[in-house]
Amino acid sequence: MAKGTRVIGVITEPAPPTWWKANRHRVCLAFGLWAGWQLCANFSGHAAVPESRPAYTGPAVPGPDASVQPLRHPTPAR
C-alpha cells in the first residue's frame, strides 16, 4: 500500500502591513519639508548685529594742531 502524503509546512500569506509601515516614508517626507520650511522662514541667515560706529571719528589726516604728530627720523648728531 502506498504511503499517504505528509504535510511538511503550510504556506500562508503574510499579514498586510500596518498603516505606519505602509506610509512612514510619506510622513517623514512631509515632516522634513515642513521643518525645512520653518527653518528657512524664521532664519534669514544673517546675524542680528547692530550697525557699529567707528571707534575714532577724528580727521583722517592730522592737521598741524593735532596732538599726535607723524614720526620723523632723528637727524644725526654732528
Side-chain angles (χ1 to χ4, degrees), residues 24-70:
R24 64 182 166 199
H25 62 284
R26 293 177 184 163
V27 172
C28 291
L29 174 67
F31 177 75
L33 289 173
W34 178 82
W37 174 71
Q38 286 293 315
L39 286 173
C40 291
N42 292 330
F43 299 114
S44 64
H46 301 288
V49 177
E51 187 175 326
S52 61
R53 296 177 14 200
Y56 176 72
T57 58
V61 178
D65 59 339
S67 62
V68 177
Q69 296 295 325

